[in-house]
Amino acid sequence: MRGLIRNNLYSMASNIRLSLIMAAFLALVPLVLKETSMIPMIFAVQIFLFVANTGASLRVDETSKWNKFELTLPIRRRTVIGAKYVSFSLLILLGVLMSLLTLALAYVTGVQLDSQLVMYGYGFGLTLSIASVALMYPIMLKMGTEKNELVVFLSGFGAVGIMLILAVILSPVTGGMQLRHPLVGMVSTCTSTILFAVSYFVSVRIHQRKEFK
């Protein structure tokens, strides 16, 4: 599996480098503008940046016929899908690490951050990233990657919808529909993680039935 993971990350290398540059630039924005209200959105974007471009790399794999070639390797299809999901997890982790750079810079420069805003930023960013991947990959696996940009957009929209629905469900506990409430962030992240696990099994089933041309 390690070889498959390395190959997945190698195919995303150019996108990862671009995301690193953009995430590093975003880390400087609150320091320049001295606007802490932007912190949650910056965290969310930094985390999401690294999975937003996975559709393009999946398109490259399909165009190069790698999806067909890897089936000739002495590995199970379950392993192929598992390597994809591990790669997605590493990208999300990389996004979280880049968001920590923003926190570190804010601390060093003395920018005061509201803990609730920080938790909201991470809750929203993780929900957006994890749920988007969970929705996106099975769809692309089933339908192909010709319209990967549209699928990524709709998956992101679906991830936001999940958080909104959960905010409504939890409103009796949180005192109204409050997206920034810590409970909404925690429940949304946990729900997205469960969806991510379910997505893996769905993708395995799709892959086992799919014939690559």
Side-chain angles (χ1 to χ4, degrees), residues 17-61:
R17 285 194 292 268
L18 178 59
S19 297
L20 284 170
I21 294 172
M22 294 175 65
F25 173 77
L26 286 171
L28 301 175
V29 172
L31 308 182
V32 175
L33 300 181
K34 302 296 182 181
E35 184 58 64
T36 58
S37 62
M38 298 176 62
I39 291 292
M41 187 55 63
I42 288 175
F43 285 163
V45 173
Q46 284 178 316
I47 298 172
F48 182 67
L49 271 175
F50 292 88
V51 299
N53 293 319
T54 54
S57 62
L58 293 173
R59 176 63 176 164
V60 171
D61 285 349

mmCIF file of all heavy atoms in Angstrom, residues 17-61:
data_model
loop_
_atom_site.group_PDB
_atom_site.id
_atom_site.type_symbol
_atom_site.label_atom_id
_atom_site.label_comp_id
_atom_site.label_asym_id
_atom_site.label_seq_id
_atom_site.Cartn_x
_atom_site.Cartn_y
_atom_site.Cartn_z
ATOM 1 N N ARG A 17 2.063 21.558 -3.887
ATOM 2 C CA ARG A 17 2.974 22.710 -3.797
ATOM 3 C C ARG A 17 2.195 24.018 -3.908
ATOM 4 O O ARG A 17 2.447 24.970 -3.150
ATOM 5 C CB ARG A 17 4.042 22.625 -4.887
ATOM 6 C CG ARG A 17 5.131 21.598 -4.618
ATOM 7 C CD ARG A 17 6.308 21.802 -5.556
ATOM 8 N NE ARG A 17 5.935 21.472 -6.934
ATOM 9 C CZ ARG A 17 6.090 20.277 -7.475
ATOM 10 N NH1 ARG A 17 6.589 19.283 -6.751
ATOM 11 N NH2 ARG A 17 5.748 20.045 -8.735
ATOM 12 N N LEU A 18 1.246 24.081 -4.841
ATOM 13 C CA LEU A 18 0.437 25.285 -4.998
ATOM 14 C C LEU A 18 -0.395 25.546 -3.739
ATOM 15 O O LEU A 18 -0.507 26.698 -3.286
ATOM 16 C CB LEU A 18 -0.485 25.129 -6.212
ATOM 17 C CG LEU A 18 -1.442 26.298 -6.498
ATOM 18 C CD1 LEU A 18 -0.656 27.580 -6.736
ATOM 19 C CD2 LEU A 18 -2.337 25.981 -7.688
ATOM 20 N N SER A 19 -0.956 24.492 -3.181
ATOM 21 C CA SER A 19 -1.760 24.634 -1.966
ATOM 22 C C SER A 19 -0.912 25.103 -0.796
ATOM 23 O O SER A 19 -1.371 25.909 0.027
ATOM 24 C CB SER A 19 -2.434 23.297 -1.623
ATOM 25 O OG SER A 19 -3.333 22.901 -2.638
ATOM 26 N N LEU A 20 0.328 24.615 -0.700
ATOM 27 C CA LEU A 20 1.233 25.052 0.362
ATOM 28 C C LEU A 20 1.511 26.548 0.266
ATOM 29 O O LEU A 20 1.503 27.264 1.277
ATOM 30 C CB LEU A 20 2.544 24.266 0.290
ATOM 31 C CG LEU A 20 2.515 22.829 0.814
ATOM 32 C CD1 LEU A 20 3.805 22.105 0.449
ATOM 33 C CD2 LEU A 20 2.318 22.822 2.332
ATOM 34 N N ILE A 21 1.751 27.016 -0.948
ATOM 35 C CA ILE A 21 2.025 28.445 -1.152
ATOM 36 C C ILE A 21 0.811 29.288 -0.770
ATOM 37 O O ILE A 21 0.923 30.301 -0.068
ATOM 38 C CB ILE A 21 2.421 28.708 -2.618
ATOM 39 C CG1 ILE A 21 3.754 28.029 -2.938
ATOM 40 C CG2 ILE A 21 2.511 30.216 -2.889
ATOM 41 C CD1 ILE A 21 4.130 28.058 -4.408
ATOM 42 N N MET A 22 -0.367 28.854 -1.205
ATOM 43 C CA MET A 22 -1.588 29.596 -0.916
ATOM 44 C C MET A 22 -1.899 29.580 0.575
ATOM 45 O O MET A 22 -2.299 30.605 1.149
ATOM 46 C CB MET A 22 -2.750 29.005 -1.713
ATOM 47 C CG MET A 22 -2.618 29.165 -3.209
ATOM 48 S SD MET A 22 -3.946 28.328 -4.136
ATOM 49 C CE MET A 22 -5.368 29.289 -3.597
ATOM 50 N N ALA A 23 -1.700 28.425 1.222
ATOM 51 C CA ALA A 23 -1.977 28.316 2.655
ATOM 52 C C ALA A 23 -1.019 29.185 3.459
ATOM 53 O O ALA A 23 -1.408 29.809 4.459
ATOM 54 C CB ALA A 23 -1.870 26.859 3.094
ATOM 55 N N ALA A 24 0.265 29.229 3.037
ATOM 56 C CA ALA A 24 1.243 30.069 3.724
ATOM 57 C C ALA A 24 0.891 31.548 3.570
ATOM 58 O O ALA A 24 1.024 32.337 4.512
ATOM 59 C CB ALA A 24 2.636 29.793 3.169
ATOM 60 N N PHE A 25 0.434 31.919 2.383
ATOM 61 C CA PHE A 25 0.015 33.309 2.157
ATOM 62 C C PHE A 25 -1.186 33.667 3.045
ATOM 63 O O PHE A 25 -1.232 34.745 3.640
ATOM 64 C CB PHE A 25 -0.343 33.507 0.684
ATOM 65 C CG PHE A 25 -0.938 34.859 0.378
ATOM 66 C CD1 PHE A 25 -0.127 35.983 0.301
ATOM 67 C CD2 PHE A 25 -2.311 34.989 0.192
ATOM 68 C CE1 PHE A 25 -0.683 37.226 0.031
ATOM 69 C CE2 PHE A 25 -2.863 36.230 -0.079
ATOM 70 C CZ PHE A 25 -2.046 37.358 -0.161
ATOM 71 N N LEU A 26 -2.147 32.756 3.142
ATOM 72 C CA LEU A 26 -3.328 33.006 3.961
ATOM 73 C C LEU A 26 -2.970 33.168 5.431
ATOM 74 O O LEU A 26 -3.658 33.897 6.161
ATOM 75 C CB LEU A 26 -4.328 31.856 3.803
ATOM 76 C CG LEU A 26 -5.092 31.808 2.480
ATOM 77 C CD1 LEU A 26 -5.886 30.507 2.374
ATOM 78 C CD2 LEU A 26 -6.022 33.006 2.353
ATOM 79 N N ALA A 27 -1.901 32.505 5.871
ATOM 80 C CA ALA A 27 -1.477 32.612 7.270
ATOM 81 C C ALA A 27 -1.056 34.036 7.620
ATOM 82 O O ALA A 27 -1.112 34.441 8.789
ATOM 83 C CB ALA A 27 -0.330 31.641 7.547
ATOM 84 N N LEU A 28 -0.653 34.801 6.619
ATOM 85 C CA LEU A 28 -0.193 36.173 6.851
ATOM 86 C C LEU A 28 -1.321 37.201 6.818
ATOM 87 O O LEU A 28 -1.144 38.320 7.298
ATOM 88 C CB LEU A 28 0.855 36.548 5.794
ATOM 89 C CG LEU A 28 2.108 35.668 5.726
ATOM 90 C CD1 LEU A 28 2.974 36.095 4.544
ATOM 91 C CD2 LEU A 28 2.884 35.734 7.026
ATOM 92 N N VAL A 29 -2.466 36.814 6.258
ATOM 93 C CA VAL A 29 -3.568 37.771 6.072
ATOM 94 C C VAL A 29 -4.045 38.403 7.377
ATOM 95 O O VAL A 29 -4.142 39.635 7.472
ATOM 96 C CB VAL A 29 -4.747 37.096 5.328
ATOM 97 C CG1 VAL A 29 -5.957 38.018 5.310
ATOM 98 C CG2 VAL A 29 -4.323 36.740 3.912
ATOM 99 N N PRO A 30 -4.351 37.617 8.430
ATOM 100 C CA PRO A 30 -4.826 38.253 9.665
ATOM 101 C C PRO A 30 -3.778 39.126 10.330
ATOM 102 O O PRO A 30 -4.119 40.059 11.062
ATOM 103 C CB PRO A 30 -5.200 37.057 10.551
ATOM 104 C CG PRO A 30 -4.433 35.912 10.000
ATOM 105 C CD PRO A 30 -4.333 36.150 8.544
ATOM 106 N N LEU A 31 -2.503 38.832 10.078
ATOM 107 C CA LEU A 31 -1.440 39.639 10.678
ATOM 108 C C LEU A 31 -1.348 40.995 9.998
ATOM 109 O O LEU A 31 -1.073 42.011 10.638
ATOM 110 C CB LEU A 31 -0.092 38.911 10.574
ATOM 111 C CG LEU A 31 -0.065 37.471 11.106
ATOM 112 C CD1 LEU A 31 1.341 36.901 10.992
ATOM 113 C CD2 LEU A 31 -0.544 37.431 12.546
ATOM 114 N N VAL A 32 -1.587 41.001 8.693
ATOM 115 C CA VAL A 32 -1.511 42.248 7.928
ATOM 116 C C VAL A 32 -2.750 43.106 8.159
ATOM 117 O O VAL A 32 -2.657 44.319 8.390
ATOM 118 C CB VAL A 32 -1.348 41.950 6.422
ATOM 119 C CG1 VAL A 32 -1.387 43.241 5.619
ATOM 120 C CG2 VAL A 32 -0.044 41.204 6.168
ATOM 121 N N LEU A 33 -3.905 42.466 8.132
ATOM 122 C CA LEU A 33 -5.158 43.211 8.264
ATOM 123 C C LEU A 33 -5.584 43.412 9.720
ATOM 124 O O LEU A 33 -6.477 44.223 9.987
ATOM 125 C CB LEU A 33 -6.273 42.481 7.505
ATOM 126 C CG LEU A 33 -6.050 42.286 6.000
ATOM 127 C CD1 LEU A 33 -7.254 41.579 5.385
ATOM 128 C CD2 LEU A 33 -5.811 43.629 5.307
ATOM 129 N N LYS A 34 -4.966 42.663 10.630
ATOM 130 C CA LYS A 34 -5.318 42.734 12.056
ATOM 131 C C LYS A 34 -6.817 42.469 12.271
ATOM 132 O O LYS A 34 -7.461 43.075 13.117
ATOM 133 C CB LYS A 34 -4.960 44.111 12.634
ATOM 134 C CG LYS A 34 -3.503 44.501 12.494
ATOM 135 C CD LYS A 34 -2.597 43.573 13.286
ATOM 136 C CE LYS A 34 -1.133 44.023 13.176
ATOM 137 N NZ LYS A 34 -0.231 43.117 13.918
ATOM 138 N N GLU A 35 -7.350 41.548 11.488
ATOM 139 C CA GLU A 35 -8.774 41.246 11.538
ATOM 140 C C GLU A 35 -8.970 39.804 11.985
ATOM 141 O O GLU A 35 -8.841 38.864 11.193
ATOM 142 C CB GLU A 35 -9.395 41.474 10.165
ATOM 143 C CG GLU A 35 -10.899 41.284 10.109
ATOM 144 C CD GLU A 35 -11.637 42.188 11.066
ATOM 145 O OE1 GLU A 35 -11.573 43.425 10.891
ATOM 146 O OE2 GLU A 35 -12.270 41.646 12.000
ATOM 147 N N THR A 36 -9.247 39.610 13.284
ATOM 148 C CA THR A 36 -9.358 38.251 13.822
ATOM 149 C C THR A 36 -10.657 37.564 13.411
ATOM 150 O O THR A 36 -10.754 36.340 13.506
ATOM 151 C CB THR A 36 -9.273 38.277 15.361
ATOM 152 O OG1 THR A 36 -10.323 39.121 15.880
ATOM 153 C CG2 THR A 36 -7.922 38.828 15.807
ATOM 154 N N SER A 37 -11.654 38.317 12.973
ATOM 155 C CA SER A 37 -12.915 37.694 12.570
ATOM 156 C C SER A 37 -12.741 36.825 11.326
ATOM 157 O O SER A 37 -13.595 35.987 11.021
ATOM 158 C CB SER A 37 -13.974 38.772 12.304
ATOM 159 O OG SER A 37 -13.578 39.615 11.234
ATOM 160 N N MET A 38 -11.623 37.022 10.605
ATOM 161 C CA MET A 38 -11.361 36.243 9.396
ATOM 162 C C MET A 38 -10.717 34.890 9.703
ATOM 163 O O MET A 38 -10.618 34.036 8.825
ATOM 164 C CB MET A 38 -10.445 37.019 8.457
ATOM 165 C CG MET A 38 -11.014 38.339 7.961
ATOM 166 S SD MET A 38 -9.817 39.232 6.955
ATOM 167 C CE MET A 38 -9.600 38.068 5.600
ATOM 168 N N ILE A 39 -10.275 34.720 10.935
ATOM 169 C CA ILE A 39 -9.536 33.515 11.308
ATOM 170 C C ILE A 39 -10.300 32.219 11.001
ATOM 171 O O ILE A 39 -9.731 31.291 10.405
ATOM 172 C CB ILE A 39 -9.150 33.560 12.799
ATOM 173 C CG1 ILE A 39 -8.088 34.641 13.036
ATOM 174 C CG2 ILE A 39 -8.613 32.214 13.268
ATOM 175 C CD1 ILE A 39 -6.753 34.360 12.426
ATOM 176 N N PRO A 40 -11.591 32.088 11.385
ATOM 177 C CA PRO A 40 -12.294 30.830 11.100
ATOM 178 C C PRO A 40 -12.300 30.479 9.621
ATOM 179 O O PRO A 40 -12.074 29.317 9.250
ATOM 180 C CB PRO A 40 -13.723 31.100 11.613
ATOM 181 C CG PRO A 40 -13.562 32.161 12.637
ATOM 182 C CD PRO A 40 -12.444 33.024 12.143
ATOM 183 N N MET A 41 -12.566 31.471 8.768
ATOM 184 C CA MET A 41 -12.611 31.204 7.334
ATOM 185 C C MET A 41 -11.228 30.838 6.795
ATOM 186 O O MET A 41 -11.100 29.976 5.918
ATOM 187 C CB MET A 41 -13.158 32.417 6.585
ATOM 188 C CG MET A 41 -13.407 32.160 5.109
ATOM 189 S SD MET A 41 -14.494 30.731 4.813
ATOM 190 C CE MET A 41 -16.011 31.296 5.615
ATOM 191 N N ILE A 42 -10.186 31.469 7.341
ATOM 192 C CA ILE A 42 -8.822 31.161 6.901
ATOM 193 C C ILE A 42 -8.469 29.724 7.269
ATOM 194 O O ILE A 42 -7.908 28.984 6.458
ATOM 195 C CB ILE A 42 -7.822 32.155 7.523
ATOM 196 C CG1 ILE A 42 -7.984 33.523 6.859
ATOM 197 C CG2 ILE A 42 -6.382 31.656 7.350
ATOM 198 C CD1 ILE A 42 -7.134 34.606 7.474
ATOM 199 N N PHE A 43 -8.799 29.299 8.489
ATOM 200 C CA PHE A 43 -8.569 27.914 8.891
ATOM 201 C C PHE A 43 -9.278 26.955 7.939
ATOM 202 O O PHE A 43 -8.694 25.964 7.476
ATOM 203 C CB PHE A 43 -9.076 27.670 10.316
ATOM 204 C CG PHE A 43 -8.195 28.257 11.383
ATOM 205 C CD1 PHE A 43 -8.679 28.436 12.669
ATOM 206 C CD2 PHE A 43 -6.900 28.626 11.112
ATOM 207 C CE1 PHE A 43 -7.876 28.964 13.659
ATOM 208 C CE2 PHE A 43 -6.084 29.166 12.089
ATOM 209 C CZ PHE A 43 -6.579 29.332 13.377
ATOM 210 N N ALA A 44 -10.551 27.247 7.678
ATOM 211 C CA ALA A 44 -11.355 26.366 6.831
ATOM 212 C C ALA A 44 -10.766 26.256 5.429
ATOM 213 O O ALA A 44 -10.652 25.158 4.871
ATOM 214 C CB ALA A 44 -12.792 26.879 6.762
ATOM 215 N N VAL A 45 -10.366 27.403 4.867
ATOM 216 C CA VAL A 45 -9.804 27.399 3.514
ATOM 217 C C VAL A 45 -8.463 26.679 3.485
ATOM 218 O O VAL A 45 -8.173 25.902 2.560
ATOM 219 C CB VAL A 45 -9.653 28.844 2.988
ATOM 220 C CG1 VAL A 45 -8.907 28.848 1.654
ATOM 221 C CG2 VAL A 45 -11.021 29.489 2.822
ATOM 222 N N GLN A 46 -7.620 26.899 4.499
ATOM 223 C CA GLN A 46 -6.308 26.245 4.545
ATOM 224 C C GLN A 46 -6.456 24.724 4.590
ATOM 225 O O GLN A 46 -5.706 24.008 3.929
ATOM 226 C CB GLN A 46 -5.521 26.729 5.766
ATOM 227 C CG GLN A 46 -4.939 28.122 5.603
ATOM 228 C CD GLN A 46 -4.201 28.581 6.846
ATOM 229 O OE1 GLN A 46 -4.679 28.401 7.966
ATOM 230 N NE2 GLN A 46 -3.041 29.184 6.658
ATOM 231 N N ILE A 47 -7.410 24.238 5.359
ATOM 232 C CA ILE A 47 -7.613 22.789 5.459
ATOM 233 C C ILE A 47 -8.195 22.235 4.167
ATOM 234 O O ILE A 47 -7.791 21.171 3.684
ATOM 235 C CB ILE A 47 -8.532 22.458 6.657
ATOM 236 C CG1 ILE A 47 -7.880 22.907 7.968
ATOM 237 C CG2 ILE A 47 -8.824 20.962 6.723
ATOM 238 C CD1 ILE A 47 -8.791 22.801 9.179
ATOM 239 N N PHE A 48 -9.144 22.982 3.588
ATOM 240 C CA PHE A 48 -9.846 22.504 2.393
ATOM 241 C C PHE A 48 -8.989 22.584 1.130
ATOM 242 O O PHE A 48 -9.197 21.812 0.184
ATOM 243 C CB PHE A 48 -11.135 23.320 2.195
ATOM 244 C CG PHE A 48 -11.962 22.881 1.031
ATOM 245 C CD1 PHE A 48 -12.578 21.640 1.032
ATOM 246 C CD2 PHE A 48 -12.135 23.698 -0.071
ATOM 247 C CE1 PHE A 48 -13.361 21.228 -0.048
ATOM 248 C CE2 PHE A 48 -12.909 23.300 -1.153
ATOM 249 C CZ PHE A 48 -13.520 22.059 -1.137
ATOM 250 N N LEU A 49 -8.023 23.500 1.101
ATOM 251 C CA LEU A 49 -7.200 23.704 -0.096
ATOM 252 C C LEU A 49 -6.577 22.409 -0.609
ATOM 253 O O LEU A 49 -6.501 22.178 -1.815
ATOM 254 C CB LEU A 49 -6.073 24.703 0.212
ATOM 255 C CG LEU A 49 -6.363 26.187 -0.003
ATOM 256 C CD1 LEU A 49 -5.176 27.014 0.475
ATOM 257 C CD2 LEU A 49 -6.663 26.479 -1.465
ATOM 258 N N PHE A 50 -6.143 21.575 0.307
ATOM 259 C CA PHE A 50 -5.363 20.396 -0.081
ATOM 260 C C PHE A 50 -6.220 19.276 -0.658
ATOM 261 O O PHE A 50 -5.694 18.400 -1.345
ATOM 262 C CB PHE A 50 -4.552 19.895 1.120
ATOM 263 C CG PHE A 50 -3.459 20.840 1.520
ATOM 264 C CD1 PHE A 50 -3.706 21.878 2.413
ATOM 265 C CD2 PHE A 50 -2.195 20.727 0.980
ATOM 266 C CE1 PHE A 50 -2.705 22.759 2.762
ATOM 267 C CE2 PHE A 50 -1.185 21.614 1.313
ATOM 268 C CZ PHE A 50 -1.447 22.645 2.213
ATOM 269 N N VAL A 51 -7.516 19.285 -0.357
ATOM 270 C CA VAL A 51 -8.382 18.259 -0.943
ATOM 271 C C VAL A 51 -9.185 18.805 -2.120
ATOM 272 O O VAL A 51 -9.774 18.035 -2.879
ATOM 273 C CB VAL A 51 -9.356 17.670 0.116
ATOM 274 C CG1 VAL A 51 -8.582 17.015 1.235
ATOM 275 C CG2 VAL A 51 -10.298 18.737 0.655
ATOM 276 N N ALA A 52 -9.192 20.123 -2.276
ATOM 277 C CA ALA A 52 -9.973 20.729 -3.351
ATOM 278 C C ALA A 52 -9.447 20.354 -4.726
ATOM 279 O O ALA A 52 -10.200 20.320 -5.703
ATOM 280 C CB ALA A 52 -9.988 22.248 -3.198
ATOM 281 N N ASN A 53 -8.138 20.073 -4.812
ATOM 282 C CA ASN A 53 -7.532 19.773 -6.101
ATOM 283 C C ASN A 53 -7.397 18.283 -6.386
ATOM 284 O O ASN A 53 -6.770 17.897 -7.384
ATOM 285 C CB ASN A 53 -6.139 20.418 -6.188
ATOM 286 C CG ASN A 53 -6.215 21.933 -6.218
ATOM 287 O OD1 ASN A 53 -7.080 22.508 -6.873
ATOM 288 N ND2 ASN A 53 -5.322 22.592 -5.501
ATOM 289 N N THR A 54 -7.960 17.449 -5.519
ATOM 290 C CA THR A 54 -7.824 15.999 -5.742
ATOM 291 C C THR A 54 -8.542 15.560 -7.008
ATOM 292 O O THR A 54 -8.147 14.584 -7.644
ATOM 293 C CB THR A 54 -8.380 15.212 -4.542
ATOM 294 O OG1 THR A 54 -9.722 15.635 -4.284
ATOM 295 C CG2 THR A 54 -7.531 15.430 -3.307
ATOM 296 N N GLY A 55 -9.602 16.268 -7.364
ATOM 297 C CA GLY A 55 -10.332 15.926 -8.581
ATOM 298 C C GLY A 55 -9.447 16.003 -9.811
ATOM 299 O O GLY A 55 -9.526 15.150 -10.709
ATOM 300 N N ALA A 56 -8.562 17.020 -9.843
ATOM 301 C CA ALA A 56 -7.660 17.177 -10.980
ATOM 302 C C ALA A 56 -6.674 16.019 -11.063
ATOM 303 O O ALA A 56 -6.383 15.503 -12.153
ATOM 304 C CB ALA A 56 -6.915 18.503 -10.876
ATOM 305 N N SER A 57 -6.150 15.600 -9.920
ATOM 306 C CA SER A 57 -5.191 14.496 -9.924
ATOM 307 C C SER A 57 -5.872 13.176 -10.284
ATOM 308 O O SER A 57 -5.285 12.330 -10.963
ATOM 309 C CB SER A 57 -4.504 14.382 -8.559
ATOM 310 O OG SER A 57 -5.443 14.092 -7.548
ATOM 311 N N LEU A 58 -7.112 13.003 -9.853
ATOM 312 C CA LEU A 58 -7.862 11.801 -10.234
ATOM 313 C C LEU A 58 -8.126 11.791 -11.734
ATOM 314 O O LEU A 58 -8.124 10.734 -12.369
ATOM 315 C CB LEU A 58 -9.185 11.741 -9.463
ATOM 316 C CG LEU A 58 -9.082 11.534 -7.949
ATOM 317 C CD1 LEU A 58 -10.450 11.657 -7.300
ATOM 318 C CD2 LEU A 58 -8.460 10.191 -7.621
ATOM 319 N N ARG A 59 -8.318 12.970 -12.282
ATOM 320 C CA ARG A 59 -8.506 13.105 -13.730
ATOM 321 C C ARG A 59 -7.241 12.692 -14.472
ATOM 322 O O ARG A 59 -7.301 12.014 -15.508
ATOM 323 C CB ARG A 59 -8.867 14.556 -14.062
ATOM 324 C CG ARG A 59 -8.988 14.855 -15.551
ATOM 325 C CD ARG A 59 -10.101 14.072 -16.187
ATOM 326 N NE ARG A 59 -10.284 14.412 -17.585
ATOM 327 C CZ ARG A 59 -10.955 13.687 -18.453
ATOM 328 N NH1 ARG A 59 -11.534 12.560 -18.077
ATOM 329 N NH2 ARG A 59 -11.084 14.065 -19.701
ATOM 330 N N VAL A 60 -6.077 13.063 -13.935
ATOM 331 C CA VAL A 60 -4.797 12.689 -14.545
ATOM 332 C C VAL A 60 -4.631 11.175 -14.538
ATOM 333 O O VAL A 60 -4.207 10.572 -15.524
ATOM 334 C CB VAL A 60 -3.624 13.357 -13.797
ATOM 335 C CG1 VAL A 60 -2.289 12.792 -14.281
ATOM 336 C CG2 VAL A 60 -3.658 14.865 -14.005
ATOM 337 N N ASP A 61 -4.983 10.536 -13.416
ATOM 338 C CA ASP A 61 -4.885 9.079 -13.316
ATOM 339 C C ASP A 61 -5.769 8.394 -14.361
ATOM 340 O O ASP A 61 -5.380 7.396 -14.962
ATOM 341 C CB ASP A 61 -5.302 8.615 -11.915
ATOM 342 C CG ASP A 61 -4.230 8.903 -10.877
ATOM 343 O OD1 ASP A 61 -3.105 9.252 -11.272
ATOM 344 O OD2 ASP A 61 -4.529 8.790 -9.673
#
